[in-house]
């Protein structure tokens, strides 16, 4: 049998990014031994510190170079000394768009009722996945100022939705729902009652596509109502598909009901290309170097990475180990409240594989 081998680009990034990435790499090393695959990792220093020294975010050439890898493992982007937007647009969004990672996949799964801020909700109640469109919508950066700085100023920000972009996202969501095979229910989360251009297109594309997936139960919820159901009846959801902006917002709420940013992971997926996996919590600069940040989200992101490249056994072993460590060892999932330093959590997950 041919040995399986992967080229992984590692972008630790800013703040606590490097600390959590280290723990992810520790688990990768343990998984490769146990499941008998090889990998080559190459580290890139894209982030706030490099930007402050060189003025560079990520260049077109660097972006093109990332296409040579099987997957990217990202820590976090965001630096307190850099004006908001520069690194986010110049590195994170540029990579998502440049590598055409048109899906942002964010599982919301509760591992123990102890971690849930909602009264009476158990792991079987909170187990859904958000499929967020990741290349268009309000994130396209389209718009303009008129009479900037004047009292009659107007700022226009456009939500850009192409039929192709919407359809490929919806198709991914239908296929994912079918493959996940849990309740086989796909909810379109939108705002058809107010945003009557964008969501008319989404709804029409959804209604057409669903004819091809008669085995998938379909549903629709407005985004505001969705946030209400996340708190009141999260058990209603299986897979949710939505646009870039709504997906950004509802997945932060999703992270909170699954136990917080310490456990929430996501994947920026190009099904035909190079995908990038990250903990969704950001760089958390105030915790940098304090050994208190929870690395489980990064470890879960690493698990998603392995699942995507085809190491499904390793991925589920990592998930099981995370569950075991979280439920039998840790006091809490929040930074500084875990009962262990960052490094020890990584050791425990690696040992329990
Ligand atoms: C996320 C983040 C990013 C986003 C920011 C940092 C650009 O909030 O991954 O959810 O808005 O997509
Ligand atoms: Mn976000």
């Amino acid at each position: 049998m041919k040995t399986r081998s992967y080229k992984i680009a590692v972008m630790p990034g800013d703040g606590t990014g490097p600390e959590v990435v280290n723990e992810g790499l520790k688990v990768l090393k343990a998984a490769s031994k146990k499941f008998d695959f090889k990998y080559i990792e190459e580290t890139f220093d894209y982030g706030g510190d490099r930007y402050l020294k060189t003025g560079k975010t990520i260049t077109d050439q660097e972006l093109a170079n990332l296409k040579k890898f099987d997957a990217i493992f990202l820590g976090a982007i965001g630096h307190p000394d850099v004006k908001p937007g520069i690194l986010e647009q110049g590195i994170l969004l540029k990579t998502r768009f440049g590598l055409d990672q048109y899906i942002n996949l964010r599982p919301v799964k509760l591992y123990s009722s102890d971690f849930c801020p909602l009264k009476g909700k158990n792991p079987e109640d909170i187990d859904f996945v958000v499929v967020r469109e990741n290349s268009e919508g309000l994130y396209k950066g389209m718009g303009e100022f008129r009479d900037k700085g004047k009292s009659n100023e107007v700022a226009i920000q456009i939500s850009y939705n192409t039929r192709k972009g919407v359809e490929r996202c919806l198709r991914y969501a239908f296929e994912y729902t079918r493959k996940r095979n849990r309740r086989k229910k796909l909810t379109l989360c939108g705002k058809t009652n107010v945003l009557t251009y964008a969501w008319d297109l989404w709804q029409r594309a959804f209604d057409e596509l669903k004819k091809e997936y008669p085995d998938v139960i379909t549903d629709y919820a407005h985004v505001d109502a969705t946030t209400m159901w996340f708190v009141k009846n999260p058990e209603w959801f299986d897979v949710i598909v939505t646009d870039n902006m709504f997906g950004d917002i509802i997945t932060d709420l999703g992270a909170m009901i699954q136990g917080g940013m310490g456990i929430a992971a996501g994947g920026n997926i190009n099904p035909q290309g190079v995908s990038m996996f990250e903990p969704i919590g950001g760089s958390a600069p105030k915790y940098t170097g304090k050994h208190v940040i929870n690395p489980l989200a990064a470890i879960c992101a690493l698990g998603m990475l392995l699942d995507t490249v085809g190491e499904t056994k390793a991925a589920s072993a990592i998930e099981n180990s995370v569950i075991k460590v979280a439920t039998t060892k840790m006091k809490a999932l929040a930074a500084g409240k875990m009962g262990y330093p960052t490094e020890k959590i990584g050791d425990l997950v690696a040992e329990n594989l």
Side-chain angles (χ1 to χ4, degrees):
M1 211 173 87
K2 197 170 161 281
T3 42
R4 290 133 30 234
S5 181
Y6 308 99
K7 282 178 74 181
I8 300 174
V10 181
M11 295 168 40
D14 301 317
T16 51
E19 292 168 61
V20 297
V21 158
N22 271 341
E23 302 315 305
L25 293 176
K26 204 183 260 176
V27 174
L28 174 62
K29 193 170 181 186
S32 86
K33 285 207 186 102
K34 175 144 181 59
F35 294 93
D36 208 31
F37 64 85
K38 294 200 162 33
Y39 64 95
I40 302 163
E41 65 182 66
E42 195 175 330
T43 306
F44 299 93
D45 64 349
Y46 312 138
D49 289 330
R50 187 180 89 139
Y51 174 76
L52 290 170
K53 269 187 239 137
T54 66
K56 278 196 279 187
T57 50
I58 188 168
T59 67
D60 295 345
Q61 208 178 350
E62 288 163 342
L63 196 59
N65 180 52
L66 287 174
K67 292 185 184 158
K68 288 193 253 164
F69 290 84
D70 293 303
I72 304 166
F73 184 35
L74 171 70
I77 296 294
H79 196 292
D81 301 336
V82 181
K83 191 179 160 218
I86 294 179
L87 301 172
E88 291 83 350
Q89 287 187 336
I91 301 176
L92 187 60
L93 298 182
K94 189 167 174 182
T95 307
R96 286 178 183 171
F97 290 0
L99 300 182
D100 204 17
Q101 295 162 340
Y102 63 85
I103 298 295
N104 196 319
L105 194 66
R106 297 193 164 175
V108 177
K109 192 165 171 180
L110 178 66
Y111 290 137
S112 161
S113 55
D114 295 345
F115 304 140
C116 187
L118 306 177
K119 199 167 60 183
K121 295 297 177 190
N122 298 305
E124 60 270 22
D125 299 319
I126 301 180
D127 184 356
F128 60 88
V129 178
V130 177
V131 175
R132 164 185 174 190
E133 202 290 322
N134 209 32
S135 65
E136 303 191 333
L138 280 166
Y139 278 66
K140 193 78 180 171
M142 286 177 80
E144 62 172 308
F145 292 114
R146 290 190 191 154
D147 297 310
K148 191 171 179 185
K150 299 196 184 133
S151 60
N152 60 333
E153 174 168 355
V154 181
I156 300 170
Q157 190 92 43
I158 291 170
S159 176
Y160 181 85
N161 301 265
T162 65
R163 175 74 194 212
K164 273 197 185 130
V166 169
E167 205 170 290
R168 68 181 181 173
C169 173
L170 290 171
R171 190 171 288 285
Y172 181 93
F174 273 104
E175 293 288 338
Y176 188 89
T177 309
R178 185 179 263 176
K179 193 167 149 232
R180 174 170 150 95
N181 199 19
R182 188 166 181 260
R183 292 172 50 214
K184 284 215 184 173
K185 179 176 166 188
L186 178 62
T187 304
L188 177 68
C189 164
K191 192 70 187 173
T192 53
N193 54 348
V194 176
L195 307 178
T196 50
Y197 298 106
W199 288 98
D200 189 80
L201 169 56
W202 276 83
Q203 179 86 69
R204 272 184 286 119
F206 187 74
D207 290 343
E208 263 172 50
L209 221 53
K210 74 182 181 195
K211 294 180 200 143
E212 290 180 43
Y213 299 88
D215 53 322
V216 173
I217 303 161
T218 54
D219 192 14
Y220 172 82
H222 292 318
V223 62
D224 48 347
T226 301
T227 63
M228 174 178 75
W229 303 130
F230 270 21
V231 173
K232 196 168 172 289
N233 298 97
E235 64 277 8
W236 287 356
F237 296 109
D238 178 16
V239 181
I240 298 170
V241 62
T242 190
D243 78 355
N244 213 339
M245 187 77 258
F246 293 167
D248 177 46
I249 297 166
I250 67 172
T251 53
D252 267 23
L253 180 57
M256 291 321 290
I257 64 171
Q258 75 180 124
M261 289 302 181
I263 191 80
N268 302 278
I269 314 272
N270 176 343
Q272 291 84 35
V274 185
S275 301
M276 173 169 73
F277 300 84
E278 54 175 333
I280 75 170
S283 60
K286 66 176 174 187
Y287 297 125
T288 307
K290 299 210 155 67
H291 309 272
V292 296
I293 195 78
N294 187 347
L296 288 183
I299 293 169
C300 290
L302 192 265
M304 290 179 76
L305 182 156
L306 288 176
D307 193 53
T308 307
V309 297
E311 293 297 327
T312 51
K313 281 195 190 126
S316 61
I318 289 171
E319 184 176 24
N320 289 333
S321 181
V322 166
I323 295 175
K324 186 153 179 212
V325 171
T327 57
T328 66
K329 303 269 183 188
M330 293 168 73
K331 286 207 203 109
L333 298 178
K337 302 198 173 125
M338 305 184 292
Y340 296 93
T342 304
E343 293 76 7
K344 182 70 187 162
I345 305 287
D347 290 342
L348 287 169
V349 176
E351 282 161 24
N352 269 291
L353 265 185

